[in-house]
Amino acid sequence: MIANLVQLAAEEEQNPLLPPGPELLVGTIAFAIVFFFFWKKLLPNINKVLEERRTAIEGGIEEAEAMKVEAQSVLEQYKAQLAEARHEAARLRQEAQEQGAALIAEMRAEGQRQREEIIAAGHAQIEADRKAAASSLRQDVGKLATDLAGKLVGESLEDHARQSRVIDRFLDELDQKAEAAR
């Protein structure tokens, strides 16, 4: 059997690259049918799907670019608002510092004014107290001087006019001695 096959192969020396005529015809017709089926049915569907994908991708790219532009616009608005808010905060801080400094200066001036009023009232009170003490002292010293002078002189100095003259003269002499001692 192998021998028969070898003999048949030797007898037919055909080109292996070229198929026999009927096979070539059937293959060509089958290829044309498959090609026609692909061309009429499958190729439009494939092209339709590819076109839809291309449209979706382009639409996605356009939408992404639009969103990028919108995001950039929103970012710029945000930066502008942030800069404005910072500027406003700085302005408010400056105003608060100025108001604080003015308030401190005003409070210092008010404190100084009150201090001056208290000092003036104190001086007036001291002067009034000194005058009252001097008057009281004059009367007490006058009374004592009159009593002492009455005892020394041996006569009563109950006369009010005489008593006032003696007291005034005595106190004037004391004042002159005190001023001379200074």
Side-chain angles (χ1 to χ4, degrees), residues 89-115:
R91 185 184 64 77
L92 289 175
R93 233 183 348 262
Q94 181 66 27
E95 284 181 9
Q97 287 176 347
E98 290 171 359
Q99 288 176 353
L103 186 60
I104 288 171
E106 182 180 318
M107 295 308 273
R108 280 187 181 155
E110 178 66 20
Q112 186 70 19
R113 185 189 62 77
Q114 288 178 355
R115 184 179 139 252

Side-chain angles (χ1 to χ4, degrees), residues 130-156:
R130 188 186 67 74
K131 286 181 181 178
S135 174
S136 174
L137 184 62
R138 237 174 213 253
Q139 288 176 357
D140 290 344
V141 168
K143 179 79 170 145
L144 289 174
T146 305
D147 290 345
L148 183 61
K151 288 181 183 179
L152 288 177
V153 173
E155 66 179 74
S156 174

Side-chain angles (χ1 to χ4, degrees), residues 55-119:
T55 304
I57 290 172
E58 287 176 356
I61 290 173
E62 289 173 359
E63 186 177 330
E65 287 177 0
M67 290 177 92
K68 182 180 176 183
V69 168
E70 183 179 348
Q72 188 68 24
S73 172
V74 169
L75 179 64
E76 292 299 322
Q77 288 176 351
Y78 170 74
K79 285 181 180 178
Q81 288 176 347
L82 185 61
E84 183 178 328
R86 285 182 179 156
H87 178 69
E88 182 68 17
R91 185 184 64 77
L92 289 175
R93 233 183 348 262
Q94 181 66 27
E95 284 181 9
Q97 287 176 347
E98 290 171 359
Q99 288 176 353
L103 186 60
I104 288 171
E106 182 180 318
M107 295 308 273
R108 280 187 181 155
E110 178 66 20
Q112 186 70 19
R113 185 189 62 77
Q114 288 178 355
R115 184 179 139 252
E116 295 298 325
E117 286 178 3
I118 290 170
I119 290 172

Side-chain angles (χ1 to χ4, degrees), residues 17-33:
L17 293 178
L18 289 177
E23 280 184 28
L24 186 61
L25 182 64
V26 170
T28 304
I29 291 173
F31 177 75
I33 291 171

Side-chain angles (χ1 to χ4, degrees), residues 45-58:
N45 287 340
I46 291 173
N47 283 338
K48 182 181 173 187
V49 168
L50 287 176
E51 184 63 29
E52 287 174 359
R53 278 182 142 185
R54 186 182 63 77
T55 304
I57 290 172
E58 287 176 356

